[in-house]
Structure formats: structure tokens, C-alpha cells
Amino acid sequence: MKKYILKTDENGNEITVADVHKVLLEMLKMIDGICRKYNIPYFLNGGSALGAVRHQGFIPWDDDADIAMLYEDYKRFIVALKQDLPEGYTFQCFDTDKRYNPLIPGMKIRKKGTYLKEVNTLLANRCTECDGIFIDVFVYDYCSASKTMDLPLRMLNQLIMPFIILFDNLGMNPLFLKRWFVSNARMYGKLNEGSKKIGFDLTWTFKSPLKPFIFDYDDIYPVQYVPFEDTQLPIAHHPHEYLCTAIAPSYMTLPPEEEQKPKHIVDIRL
């Protein structure tokens, strides 16, 4: 198997993507145990779901891991983490720390005693007590299939986004804008509660508002457990339909070899 080197330290020791996968797998197993205990449905998201289907584990060159859950389950997940998250981990989200930037995935679960610097410098981690290796938790919510109902609040958050980034990078914490941004997302989900459509909640603004990630509820739930490395983890109920939207209809085709490389990590310590 090809070795994807992330860093060579001063002693010549290499840190590879496979090394990161070992840590991420340990974290995924821990998260899965908590979610099973509290009956919280969740599923592998994006590239992690693709890895489960195409590679029965991590994509060999992928250097991160993502999970997702509905907002109603995410609220219970926060309570569960407060009670059961092991000592060696922490979690960061806007709900518990107003320094957190709600533009990034809804939550990051981090491993203490490690360090990871991401490529994206415009959305730096302001929760300074831990910069460890993390699992991204994406929040999904109910959506409208009607563009007339969908676009207004989605566009409003698209307009707020650059101002949050601007003030954040000026060293200010734009709490009013953050709260407005998050409340719009919660309002949108509430307005569409019970819809047969779900997708990334409106705090995820890094996709065209005209072509948002929206899925049929029944294509994701109930989730199913499939082989993933040396364990089993949950993916969408209909993975083909999910991946056609989340990735592309050609998701089973490997990218060109020159594109098979890690893309998220600038610096790392295990």
C-alpha cells in the first residue's frame, strides 16, 4: 500500500495518513459506543461514507473523518458527551463555547495531547484549550423542497457568512452575527420539521445556495452498519442515492493518481 507522508520530524520520524487513521478509528469507535448507549442515530458523512462503500474503511489518502446527525439528535449528543466523553477527549461547538465559529462543522471532537493545524487559515480554531486531532460532526436538519421556501433564509446566512469571517479575522468575536446566523438555521429547520427532505443545516454555507445538499429522509434513515476497517460503522440506508448527491454519480471511480493526496493537514503531532 502506498505511504502518504504528512510530516517528517527533526529526528527523521515520519507521520503518515495511516498513522492518523489509527487515531481517527479509535475516536470513531469511542463515538459509536456513546451513540449506541444513548440510542443516537448518526452516520458517516461525505468522504468517510465514500470510504466505507468504496474501500470498506478510510480512503487511503484521506486525512480526516466526518460524521453527521439530525439537529434533534445533535442536542441529545451534546448531553451524552458531557456525561460520557472519556478524559482524553474534548468537544467544541458554539452551543457550549461562544468562541467557536459556527461556519465550520457544527462540532469538533478532539483528542487531547495531539496537535493538528488545518489548511484553512480563515476559519482558525479560537477554542484555544485544544488543537488536537478531530472528528467533524455535521448537523443536518429538515429542509424544504420548494425553492421559494428554501432560498430566503439560506441566502440570508450566505450574506452573513463573510462578515463573521471578516470580524473573526480582525480578532473580534461577532457574537450578534453568530447568534443571528445560528438562529436562522434553527428557524429554517423548525419551519420544515417533519419534512421528507433533510440536509446540511443552514450553518453550512460552503456550497451554492441554488444547489444545496438535500436528501430524501428515507435515503438516510434508518442508518445501516457496514464493515469499516476492523469494525462496523453506520452509513445512509441507501448509500448509492446518498453518495450520488454528496459526492457525484461517479463516486466509485478513483480520482486521477495526482489527486490522490491528503489535503486538510498543514502540521500535526501525535
Side-chain angles (χ1 to χ4, degrees):
M1 181 179 292
K2 182 176 178 179
K3 185 161 59 172
Y4 299 91
I5 300 171
L6 294 169
K7 179 182 178 180
T8 303
D9 66 20
E10 60 275 7
N11 297 317
N13 299 312
E14 295 175 344
I15 298 177
T16 68
V17 171
D19 294 324
V20 175
H21 286 171
K22 291 176 184 177
V23 178
L24 293 177
L25 184 62
E26 169 193 300
M27 296 177 72
L28 286 169
K29 289 177 179 178
M30 176 271 296
I31 292 166
D32 185 68
I34 293 173
C35 287
R36 283 177 182 263
K37 177 179 177 179
Y38 290 94
N39 195 27
I40 297 172
Y42 79 100
F43 53 96
L44 298 178
N45 187 69
S48 296
L50 174 59
V53 171
R54 196 172 68 192
H55 304 270
Q56 291 72 58
F58 293 104
I59 297 172
W61 55 89
D62 193 9
D63 55 355
D64 74 345
D66 305 330
I67 65 171
M69 61 186 65
L70 276 172
Y71 177 65
E72 58 196 30
D73 298 316
Y74 169 78
K75 290 188 293 183
R76 295 193 298 124
F77 187 52
I78 292 175
V79 175
L81 291 178
K82 288 179 178 179
Q83 295 174 345
D84 278 31
L85 190 67
E87 181 64 30
Y89 300 93
T90 189
F91 72 97
Q92 300 164 344
C93 62
F94 185 69
D95 304 77
T96 60
D97 190 336
K98 294 302 183 273
R99 295 173 298 173
Y100 191 85
N101 194 329
L103 296 176
I104 61 181
M107 177 189 290
K108 288 182 181 291
I109 301 174
R110 293 185 182 269
K111 183 171 183 178
K112 296 178 181 178
T114 66
Y115 170 76
L116 189 151
K117 182 179 180 181
E118 293 185 81
V119 169
N120 189 349
T121 55
L122 286 178
L123 297 172
N125 177 28
R126 306 301 180 191
C127 303
T128 52
E129 73 282 355
C130 185
D131 271 316
I133 294 174
F134 60 83
I135 304 284
D136 276 327
V137 182
F138 285 85
V139 179
Y140 278 44
D141 213 336
Y142 295 99
C143 299
S144 173
S146 164
K147 289 293 183 188
T148 305
M149 292 289 294
D150 182 79
L151 268 178
L153 285 174
R154 194 176 293 277
M155 286 301 302
L156 180 55
N157 269 16
Q158 289 280 341
L159 292 171
I160 296 172
M161 171 185 69
F163 291 100
I164 293 177
I165 293 174
L166 172 64
F167 286 112
D168 185 67
N169 282 279
L170 288 174
M172 304 165 65
N173 187 4
L175 266 179
F176 170 74
L177 292 176
K178 287 181 176 180
R179 289 191 172 111
W180 188 14
F181 183 80
V182 170
S183 68
N184 286 340
R186 300 287 78 84
M187 184 190 308
Y188 178 84
K190 194 70 176 174
L191 288 171
N192 294 293
E193 191 171 3
S195 169
K196 294 182 179 180
K197 300 287 186 180
I198 60 174
F200 288 76
D201 80 346
L202 296 199
T203 64
W204 187 250
T205 51
F206 299 99
K207 195 172 191 310
S208 168
L210 299 176
K211 293 183 178 180
F213 287 115
I214 294 180
F215 310 87
D216 288 340
Y217 180 95
D218 292 340
D219 281 339
I220 293 183
Y221 293 102
V223 301
Q224 60 169 320
Y225 274 77
V226 299
F228 191 95
E229 301 296 339
D230 64 356
T231 187
Q232 291 204 338
L233 293 174
I235 62 170
H237 186 65
H238 292 144
H240 174 71
E241 287 75 9
Y242 170 78
L243 289 170
C244 281
T245 297
I247 305 296
S250 59
Y251 63 87
M252 289 300 288
T253 302
L254 291 175
E257 188 170 352
E258 62 270 17
E259 295 178 18
Q260 296 178 19
K261 55 186 177 181
K263 60 182 180 180
H264 298 99
I265 296 175
V266 172
D267 192 15
I268 187 166
R269 290 196 302 272
L270 299 181

